[in-house]
Amino acid sequence: MTDETFDVVVIGGGPVGENAAARAVRGGLKTVLVDHERFGGECSFWACVPSKALLRPGNALAAARRLPGVQVGGALDPAKVFERRDYFTGKGDDSGQVEWAHGAGIETRRGHARITGERQVTVDGEHVLRATHAVVVCTGSVPRIPDIPGLDEISVWGSREATSASEVPGRLAVLGGGVVGVEMAQAWARFGSRVDLIITGARPLPKYPDFAGDLVVEGLIEDGVRVHANSGLVAASEVDGAARLELTGGETLTADKLLVATGRRPGTDDLGLESVGLKAGSTLTTADSGVVSDVDGEWLYAAGDVTGRAPLTHQGKYAARVAADVITAKAAGRPVGESPWSPYTSTADHYAVPQVVFTDPEVASVGLASPEEGKPHRAVDIDIAVAGSSLHADGYQGKARIVVDTEREVLVGVTFVGQDVADLLHSATIAIVGEVPLHRLWHAVPSFPTISEVWLRLLEAYGL
Ligand SMILES: Cc1cc2nc3c(=O)[nH]c(=O)nc-3n(C[C@H](O)[C@H](O)[C@H](O)COP(=O)(O)OP(=O)(O)OC[C@H]3O[C@@H](n4cnc5c(N)ncnc54)[C@H](O)[C@@H]3O)c2cc1C
């Protein structure tokens, strides 16, 4: 048994935990970061980084094909794409992340951490870490596996397998029309799998405007994906080494692999939450300061996927910076207050969470996808059809929406769908966070000829 004391103990060395720890160290606090698997977390090894490495070459090839005069021979070379992905993930070697942490002044411990009392964490049941100021939980999320008869009999991929596999299955079925489902359906279709996408609704990406799901479906169909809308998986069984999938309505499919992409739940199953009066497996609900609700003493903080707020790397890292700044300020005896948009509140979680779906076409959205009922909101939808988009790609197809608060005449939501719209998104995020009045936004003149010209068309369509 060992016993050590730090100012701050951070559980979970994913991107969010790394940020919380680095920021606490920057604030002068002695901090330890604990991970039971790989420092760098899901994002670096099995999620954001490898999935984008798998998608980018296919998007680049499709973009090149849309330009007459660009000589594009052949298809994707999956082996080379996997090699490049492995370069980014270091084939699972997290020594670079550990080195970075030590360089940033963070102490690391590897092992399974459980909360064992107030301001106390025990690693692997034998190393006690005491926190003078705070414990920060950044344990991320784990896949949610639906209870479907026969699922355990067949060859199933989760998102980890879908982002790390180096063999292309002949037939891949994908269950789930969320971000992971559509991204991986397109990536693997472009590597040569025959992909069947099974979705419960009329279109994928239900959290976005309908035109987003519709345009993504058009892109998937162009890549040969068969989309089974208003469907679901009822039962699965193994037949001659393949998966036989029974869908709603009696349709059946045969696949070599089934990717289950049906969402995630907080990674709190075995975290010792019971020791502080919380339920194992539950979401760690937090105040905007990062303090976990329903725990006395304001010493337990959480950030990232585990809080169920905005399950995105960038947003989790933002919450981590806020929580660490709150801890640092309190440790120094400085007041933190609760005023919105202060450094001590993750206010943006409520108004301006940006997210990109890296399919072709891309979906880039921030704030509200649609007007809220009972609010003075108005949506304006237009095609992205400006000089910049026409020059960018022949037959450019895209759509944009703004949601305007008509009383304050500011934006509360923006969505772009189209090729290469991801980097337009930050302009929208700035407009929403800055609450830039539309009559002032009018003076932000987009360069000619760029896809950003869509901003001018949107304001004109609103009536300016
Ligand atoms: C396929 C896929 C693609 C994605 N693409 C994107 C994207 O493009 N952009 C984006 O913003 N988001 C993306 N996401 C979401 C993103 O991966 C998560 O939001 C992000 O990883 C959350 O970071 P985190 O640090 O909270 O959790 P994680 O990255 O899950 O890290 C949690 C860490 O905690 C450790 N841990 C857990 N329990 C314990 C314990 N008891 N003791 C010690 N250590 C523990 C784990 O080992 C892990 O290292 C994607 C997700 C998936 C599945």
Side-chain angles (χ1 to χ4, degrees):
M1 206 80 173
T2 61
D3 201 317
E4 299 173 279
T5 300
F6 293 86
D7 291 321
V8 179
V9 176
V10 180
I11 308 177
V16 176
E18 286 177 339
N19 265 252
R23 191 89 186 162
V25 168
R26 206 180 120 145
L29 300 178
K30 189 180 172 210
T31 304
V32 64
L33 179 64
V34 190
D35 202 286
H36 64 186
E37 203 172 5
R38 292 178 190 168
F39 288 91
E42 205 70 24
C43 178
S44 307
F45 297 104
W46 299 283
C48 330
V49 173
S51 62
K52 270 73 253 181
L54 292 178
L55 285 159
R56 174 73 190 132
N59 288 4
L61 181 62
R65 285 192 172 133
R66 291 181 193 123
L67 291 172
V70 180
Q71 303 260 329
V72 187
L76 284 179
D77 178 345
K80 286 265 187 278
V81 178
F82 300 149
E83 203 178 296
R84 181 168 178 272
R85 173 205 56 199
D86 293 346
Y87 164 77
F88 281 105
T89 58
K91 291 190 173 168
D93 176 4
D94 70 352
S95 54
Q97 309 268 353
V98 175
E99 217 173 285
W100 168 85
H102 293 164
I106 303 164
E107 290 205 33
T108 57
R109 300 285 181 273
R110 206 181 288 271
H112 184 74
R114 283 189 194 87
I115 299 164
T116 41
E118 183 171 334
R119 293 185 167 84
Q120 183 183 303
V121 171
T122 304
V123 179
D124 289 342
E126 50 184 358
H127 305 293
V128 177
L129 304 174
R130 296 179 197 280
T132 316
H133 296 296
V135 172
V136 189
V137 179
C138 306
T139 51
S141 56
V142 293
R144 182 178 287 127
I145 306 294
D147 186 16
I148 295 170
L151 208 54
D152 51 350
E153 285 176 28
I154 62 167
S155 185
V156 167
W157 271 1
S159 54
R160 283 191 168 195
E161 289 76 20
T163 53
S164 62
S166 294
E167 299 278 329
V168 181
R171 297 162 299 185
L172 174 68
V174 178
L175 180 63
V179 179
V180 175
V182 293
E183 285 187 349
M184 290 299 97
Q186 190 160 45
W188 288 96
R190 286 179 164 181
F191 296 142
S193 294
R194 195 210 70 199
V195 176
D196 286 282
L197 177 65
I198 307 157
I199 58 177
T200 48
R203 56 181 65 78
L205 303 175
K207 291 184 185 153
Y208 296 89
D210 286 355
F211 63 73
D214 291 341
L215 285 172
V216 167
V217 162
E218 278 178 35
L220 291 172
I221 290 173
E222 218 169 280
D223 288 320
V225 176
R226 300 190 304 190
V227 180
H228 305 264
N230 299 312
S231 185
L233 181 60
V234 178
S237 53
E238 203 222 86
V239 178
D240 300 332
R244 184 173 179 279
L245 307 173
E246 282 176 47
L247 308 190
T248 328
E251 192 185 354
T252 58
L253 295 175
T254 306
D256 301 302
K257 294 274 177 214
L258 170 70
L259 164 58
V260 177
T262 47
R264 301 179 70 81
R265 59 184 181 81
T268 57
D269 282 353
D270 186 17
L271 191 60
L273 287 187
E274 308 86 331
S275 69
V276 290
L278 300 176
K279 206 169 145 232
S282 62
T283 302
L284 290 183
T285 310
T286 53
D288 282 354
S289 60
V291 168
V292 174
S293 316
D294 304 323
V295 175
D296 292 336
E298 301 212 345
W299 58 273
L300 187 64
Y301 290 72
D305 280 16
V306 76
T307 66
R309 276 181 164 238
L312 293 160
T313 293
H314 45 274
Q315 213 64 23
K317 284 159 74 169
Y318 162 71
R321 293 192 291 272
V322 167
D325 283 1
V326 169
I327 295 164
T328 303
K330 282 186 176 172
R334 290 195 302 271
V336 292
E338 284 179 4
S339 57
W341 304 114
S342 88
Y344 307 121
T345 61
S346 44
T347 312
D349 283 359
H350 308 294
Y351 302 102
V353 174
Q355 179 166 20
V356 174
V357 185
F358 291 86
T359 43
D360 178 19
E362 290 170 339
V363 178
S365 188
V366 56
L368 296 181
S370 302
E372 267 179 3
E373 225 168 278
K375 294 270 175 67
H377 290 169
R378 183 180 146 207
V380 175
D381 292 358
I382 62 167
D383 289 338
I384 302 180
V386 290
S389 57
S390 309
L391 284 159
H392 197 76
D394 278 13
Y396 191 98
Q397 274 221 319
K399 282 195 184 289
R401 165 179 291 181
I402 51 174
V403 182
V404 179
D405 178 325
T406 52
E407 261 174 21
R408 295 188 299 138
E409 289 238 301
V410 295
L411 297 174
V412 288
V414 179
T415 301
F416 301 113
V417 184
Q419 182 190 315
D420 297 327
V421 294
D423 282 309
L424 276 186
L425 189 59
H426 201 54
S427 52
T429 308
I430 291 169
I432 294 178
V433 170
E435 300 180 54
V436 184
L438 294 191
H439 62 81
R440 176 57 72 89
L441 206 53
W442 180 251
H443 294 276
V445 183
S447 293
F448 179 86
T450 61
I451 303 174
S452 295
E453 291 169 75
V454 69
W455 275 113
L456 174 56
R457 300 281 168 261
L458 281 163
L459 295 178
E460 285 173 338
Y462 178 70
L464 262 59

